[in-house]
C-alpha cells in the first residue's frame, strides 16, 4: 500500500510537517520526502496563502529554522480547516494570526493579505497582483538564480537540516528514508548539487530526476505544468 499526503504547490516545509505528524500512524518500510527546485525558496513561508497570491491556499505549516545544522520550528496558531475558519471569522484572532505571520513568514505582506476598498477595482486588483509577483521574485532571487542556489541562504541551511532530521527520524523507526529530488524544467541539477553534501555525509538514499529527465529537455515535461510525462513518471517509479 502507498500512503500519500499532498497539497497544491506545497513546499518541502509542509511536506516534512505532514510526515512528522503522520509518522506514528503507520508501519511503512519506506518513507519518501519529495523536494522540488522551484519550491525551495518557500521555506521561509508558513502558508500557501502567503506564497500563492492568486490561489490563496489556506494550508499552514511551521516556520523552520536551522541552528548549526539542527532543525527548529515555530508552530502557527492553527493547522486545520476548522482552525482556519475559527480564526478567519473572529477579527481579534485573525489579527493575532496576521501578527504571527508578520513575525515569522518572509512572504507575508500586509498590502496583499488585507481586504480593502481596492478590491472593488479591477484595475487596482491587477496592480496588486503585479506587486505580489514582484515581491515573490524579489525574495526568490536572493535564494535561487539561473546559476544555482545561494548555498549560504537560510533556506538551503534549513533544507539540509530538514533532510538530516527526516533521515534520522525515519531510521529511528527502522524505516528506510529516501529523498526524491525533482529538478524543474530549465533548472539543471542545481537542487541535487545543493543537497548532495548532506546526502553523501549521512548516506541517505536518493533519486534525482535529472538522471532520467534532463531539465534542459522540454519533451520530458507536460506542456501545461511542471509535471513529467506519464512515460517518464513510470521510469522514475
Amino acid at each position: 500500500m502507498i500512503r500519500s499526503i499532498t497539497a497544491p504547490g506545497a513546499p518541502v516545509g509542509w511536506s516534512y510537517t505532514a510526515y512528522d505528524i503522520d509518522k506514528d500512524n503507520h508501519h511503512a518500510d519506506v518513507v519518501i520526502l519529495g523536494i522540488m527546485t522551484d519550491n525551495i525558496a518557500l521555506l521561509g513561508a508558513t502558508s500557501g496563502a502567503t506564497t500563492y497570491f492568486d490561489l490563496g491556499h489556506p494550508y499552514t505549516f511551521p516556520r523552520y529554522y536551522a541552528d548549526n545544522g539542527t532543525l527548529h520550528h515555530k508552530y502557527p496558531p492553527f493547522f486545520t480547516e476548522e482552525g482556519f475558519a475559527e480564526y478567519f471569522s473572529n477579527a481579534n484572532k485573525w489579527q493575532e494570526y496576521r501578527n504571527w505571520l508578520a513575525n515569522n513568514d518572509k512572504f507575508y505582506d500586509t498590502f496583499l493579505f488585507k481586504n480593502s476598498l481596492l478590491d472593488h477595482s479591477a484595475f487596482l486588483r491587477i496592480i496588486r497582483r503585479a506587486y505580489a509577483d514582484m515581491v515573490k521574485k524579489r525574495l526568490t532571487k536572493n535564494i535561487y538564480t539561473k546559476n544555482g542556489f545561494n548555498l549560504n541562504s537560510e533556506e538551503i541551511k534549513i533544507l539540509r537540516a530538514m533532510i538530516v532530521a527526516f533521515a534520522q527520524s525515519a531510521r529511528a523507526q527502522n524505516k528506510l528514508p529516501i529523498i526524491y529530488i525533482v529538478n524543474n524544467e530549465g533548472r539543471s541539477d542545481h537542487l541535487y548539487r545543493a543537497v548532495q553534501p548532506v546526502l553523501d555525509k549521512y548516506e541517505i538514499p536518493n533519486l534525482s530526476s535529472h538522471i532520467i529527465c534532463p531539465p534542459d529537455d522540454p519533451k520530458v515535461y507536460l506542456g501545461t505544468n511542471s509535471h513529467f510525462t506519464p512515460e517518464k513518471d513510470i521510469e522514475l517509479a
Side-chain angles (χ1 to χ4, degrees), residues 11-21 33 64 71 162 165-166 169:
V12 64
W14 187 95
S15 303
Y16 175 81
T17 303
Y19 156 77
D20 194 48
I21 292 174
L33 180 66
Y64 288 97
L71 191 66
M162 188 173 287
F166 168 74
S169 171

Side-chain angles (χ1 to χ4, degrees), residues 179-199:
I179 303 297
Y180 175 41
I181 304 164
V182 178
N183 302 273
N184 292 106
E185 183 177 359
R187 302 292 193 266
S188 187
D189 62 345
H190 293 152
L191 180 54
Y192 172 71
R193 284 187 276 151
V195 300
Q196 186 180 10
V198 292
L199 297 176

Side-chain angles (χ1 to χ4, degrees), residues 54-68:
D54 284 346
L55 303 173
H57 302 307
Y59 58 78
T60 62
F61 48 94
R63 173 64 157 94
Y64 288 97
Y65 301 89
D67 182 16
N68 293 322

Side-chain angles (χ1 to χ4, degrees), residues 42-52 56-65 74-79 84 87-88 92-115 135 139:
L42 306 185
L43 272 167
T46 63
S47 171
T50 59
T51 53
Y52 297 102
H57 302 307
Y59 58 78
T60 62
F61 48 94
R63 173 64 157 94
Y64 288 97
Y65 301 89
K74 289 184 179 179
Y75 283 105
F78 58 84
F79 272 130
F84 177 86
Y87 272 74
F88 188 69
N92 291 331
K93 285 191 172 184
W94 191 245
Q95 184 58 50
E96 175 193 337
Y97 178 50
R98 292 179 62 215
N99 292 340
W100 187 91
L101 288 172
N103 291 323
N104 295 283
D105 193 316
K106 287 186 178 181
F107 287 79
Y108 173 76
D109 189 294
T110 301
F111 178 58
L112 301 176
F113 214 79
K114 186 176 182 180
N115 62 343
V135 168
L139 291 167

Side-chain angles (χ1 to χ4, degrees), residues 144-189:
Y144 182 76
T145 68
K146 64 180 181 179
N147 297 317
F149 284 97
N150 174 4
L151 300 183
N152 293 316
S153 66
E154 180 188 19
E155 285 73 14
I156 291 300
K157 293 176 182 178
I158 294 171
L159 178 61
R160 289 176 171 177
M162 188 173 287
I163 287 173
V164 173
F166 168 74
Q168 291 176 337
S169 171
R171 287 167 171 167
Q173 293 188 321
N174 295 315
K175 298 172 182 176
L176 175 67
I178 297 176
I179 303 297
Y180 175 41
I181 304 164
V182 178
N183 302 273
N184 292 106
E185 183 177 359
R187 302 292 193 266
S188 187
D189 62 345

